[in-house]
Amino acid sequence: MFDLKFRYKNILMAGALLAISAVGCTDLEEKVIDEIVSGDISEVEGAEASLLAATYSKSESIFGDYGGSWCLQEMTTDEAMLPVRGEDWRDGGKWKMLHEFGWDASSVKVEDNWLQLNGAIAQAASAINVIKNSSISERNLYLAEARGMWALYAYNLVDLFGQMPYRDPMNLTFVQDPVIMDTQDAISIIVNTLYDIIPDLATIGTQGTHAGRFTKEGAYALLAKIYLNKAVYNDRYNASSSFDFTANNNMDSVIYFANKLIDSPAFDLEPDYFEIFGVDNQNNSELILAYIQKATGANTGQNDFTYLSMGRNQKANPENNRGSNATCTTPDYLATWEGNTNDPRYHKHTIKNGGEAFKNDGTDYSLPYDGTFHFNRGFQEGQQYGPIIVNGAFEMDPDAAGRVLVQMLYTEKTQTLPMDFTRELNFDVANDAAFSQNQINRGVRVFKQEYDAENTRSKGGVDISIFRLGGIYTMRAEALFRKGNVQGALADINTLRTSRFSIDKEGNRYYGQPIETLDEETLYNEISYEMYWEGERRQEMIRFGTFDKAYTAKPATEPMFRVFPIPQSELDVNKNYIQNKDY
């Protein structure tokens, strides 16, 4: 058995050794930061750039991977679940237990995320430790960015686990044990760090920055999010979910930082909602801070979030790209859309197949084809259609050159079973999220992010939003509502509704319509209409008091589950931790 101080010493020393080795790096190594975030950082300043690039690269496993923070923020909610489907996704129960609330201190995904986040924090601290003593011309900018990413990773750790092992990244020592901070103290440090670095951060679009770099605007967005959730962090176990949101002017702070972003000329709402999440979303006008995938080449990038929902025979090209038939949403969540399924954010018929709308209703005989087949976006329900693969190639229309035949799809493993996605999630055993092979169609699928057919199923070029303008509008709307300014909140919600358009099955464009009144339940639903499948739902449900309630495959639960346990492997090596309440 070894003490945790040696574990953290080793993590930080590894970062220091990386810094030493980077001093003599080659031209190839000096370009790492460009490959990670497409920035314009001088190749001459390779050591600092390499460390900063390594700090940004930690975002992949945290924000770009379905097994990162997304699974804890989404699969524990009514919005997303990953059940066992026949022979697939049993995986020792590590996925379905998230939705069943069956996790404990030894659960795989709990420990994985704890280690990933702590590793990212340690990497950022190592970068800070080197850059702060540097004499490069961009020292202050690089240092502020590294500290900003440290704050982002630290915030996510505290939000999920309620505690943080802390060493001051500006004064690192490999001797002292880290201080184990509770939520309130950790949030205070994170907030103070953000205020401290804002003067040295670039305004987005200046000094070679963009949404892939931590800028002033990224700091504003993170501060708004912290203040929005601060009442929860101050009273995590409130049995009635009666959080004091307006204490200490927290909602005023949300509004202040939201205003700075909404009023910024750098951002605009994207009218074509699903293009925010498209393969061409680089430089999208909504992105404030994002994990950049397009520039990562062969080493990183994920197609995770739509790949998970797609059926195995829903193939964007006839080679090795396919879905995994895994995640779906729940009837509980779909019920919140009742009466609003004409919202442009619910579904979009693609016109990317040669300009013809993909109706996906059995009337498509063939569609233009240029090597990639585009599926519709949003919620996918009912019988699915698509190209048929014969001898490793899509079957082409014999009567019209350049067109691929579109036919009814069947499931891959049961080739006589039509691919018909149904709302019902009836399990053979109550609260056991497992289906037999002939039940694998159960659950409406979510194709929010576009599948990048130019890459493999595990490599994609869709930039993953961490903060975007639509989310800022929802933050401001909620803060205004909690302060009693219902009309101001309604105006923000209607701005989102009426700014978006979609495409119907005839290929016609239609816009969203405003609503006339706003109460708490409507606000709660409207926030999710804008932000579903983006890793926000757990926080939303906790703030609005629905997280503890029973929903599909989940019983009613106690407030203890609003935070995850400190992994047992961590408790075994550091007796300074006290396990979170009731675990």
Side-chain angles (χ1 to χ4, degrees), residues 210-229:
H210 48 80
R213 303 269 294 276
F214 199 95
T215 60
K216 292 182 191 294
E217 290 76 14
Y220 301 155
L222 181 52
L223 283 164
K225 187 172 191 179
I226 291 171
Y227 283 117
L228 185 66
N229 291 284

Side-chain angles (χ1 to χ4, degrees), residues 349-351 355-357 359 502-509:
H349 289 269
T350 184
I351 54 174
E356 295 184 32
K359 296 181 176 61
S502 190
I503 304 293
D504 66 20
K505 71 176 183 177
E506 303 304 325
N508 300 314
R509 179 181 297 189

